Amino acid sequence: MGSKLLRLLAGLLLVAAASAAAAQGTPAAGRQTAIFAGGCFWCMEHPFDEIDGVSSVTSGYTGGSKANPTYEEVSSGATGHAESVEVVYDPAKVSYQKLVDVFWHNIDPLATNAQFCDHGTQDRSAIFYQGEEQKRIAEASKEALTKSGRFDKPIVTQIVAASTFWPAEGYHQHYYKTNPVRYKFYRLNCGRDQRLEQLWGKPNS
């Protein structure tokens, strides 16, 4: 086989590998990922999407044992997965600490296996850390929040090592953009914003 043909084949393999990595959500060079669970992933995409330095937010499932789970399987509570978001960000523009702070202010850290109107282990709140630095920051943040005296109940949000993140079905991605009326109706009826205001005060307050 000629050298030109070998180089061509090698190039095609590299392109295929790059395409596969992109399909799996592998971040580009210089980017890092953070994974959070805070109940309905529709509602967790929006706050991270608005942060400068975040390049993508993907809804999906993690924390369980089932490979390639479907929404119906996760919603049943049988897979052990939680509805989650994977945030790809540029650490030169936004810190992991900032992402953790945004996470806290968009969940109810006092609810066990539930978030707002949604109940079940699939709706638990969790920080899925990747590496010791993320673990240190997440645990220190939780400890500081506990000691702040803001809440009269214990914080039950889990801080656990990340496992495989499985992207959700396409119709779930950026639902707040593709179905804004249904999204707002769901969010209002779920009482999410009312409860967040009780916990954290009015936005920007």
Side-chain angles (χ1 to χ4, degrees):
M1 185 179 291
S3 59
K4 288 185 178 180
L5 181 57
L6 284 173
R7 286 198 295 270
L8 177 60
L9 289 173
L12 290 173
L13 288 173
L14 285 172
V15 170
S19 299
Q24 294 174 8
T26 301
R31 300 294 194 272
Q32 295 182 11
T33 60
I35 303 175
F36 304 103
C40 175
F41 43 31
W42 297 346
C43 299
M44 294 300 290
E45 279 190 339
H46 192 188
F48 291 110
D49 260 343
E50 295 185 327
I51 299 174
D52 183 36
V54 169
S55 55
S56 69
V57 184
T58 303
S59 288
Y61 318 109
T62 195
S65 57
K66 177 79 168 57
N68 294 305
T70 65
Y71 179 71
E72 289 72 21
E73 290 171 334
V74 173
S75 295
S76 74
T79 67
H81 287 298
E83 288 193 28
S84 311
V85 290
E86 182 184 63
V87 181
V88 177
Y89 67 100
D90 182 351
K93 294 182 178 180
V94 60
S95 67
Y96 183 71
Q97 178 68 64
K98 169 67 175 178
L99 299 180
V100 170
D101 289 344
V102 169
F103 164 75
W104 286 124
H105 285 82
N106 282 277
I107 68 160
D108 180 349
L110 313 180
T112 301
N113 291 331
Q115 284 293 289
F116 313 101
C117 66
D118 297 315
H119 296 265
T121 57
Q122 68 274 12
D123 293 300
R124 66 189 183 274
S125 64
I127 299 174
F128 294 96
Y129 63 82
Q130 299 166 88
E132 288 303 311
E133 181 64 7
Q134 286 193 0
K135 179 181 180 181
R136 182 191 65 78
I137 292 171
E139 289 182 341
S141 180
K142 181 177 179 179
E143 182 178 3
L145 195 55
T146 298
K147 292 180 178 179
S148 70
R150 175 181 284 272
F151 307 121
D152 58 2
K153 295 181 180 179
I155 294 172
V156 296
T157 299
Q158 299 176 355
I159 298 177
V160 293
S163 55
T164 302
F165 178 86
W166 303 97
E169 296 84 343
Y171 69 91
H172 285 299
Q173 306 302 332
H174 303 290
Y175 193 86
Y176 76 95
K177 290 182 178 179
T178 59
N179 293 274
V181 175
R182 291 180 180 178
Y183 169 73
K184 290 177 181 177
F185 182 77
Y186 160 78
R187 189 174 181 114
L188 177 64
N189 281 316
C190 201
R192 192 174 189 110
D193 292 320
Q194 299 93 314
R195 178 57 174 160
L196 288 176
E197 186 173 323
Q198 290 177 353
L199 291 164
W200 305 104
K202 294 182 178 180
N204 302 318
S205 64

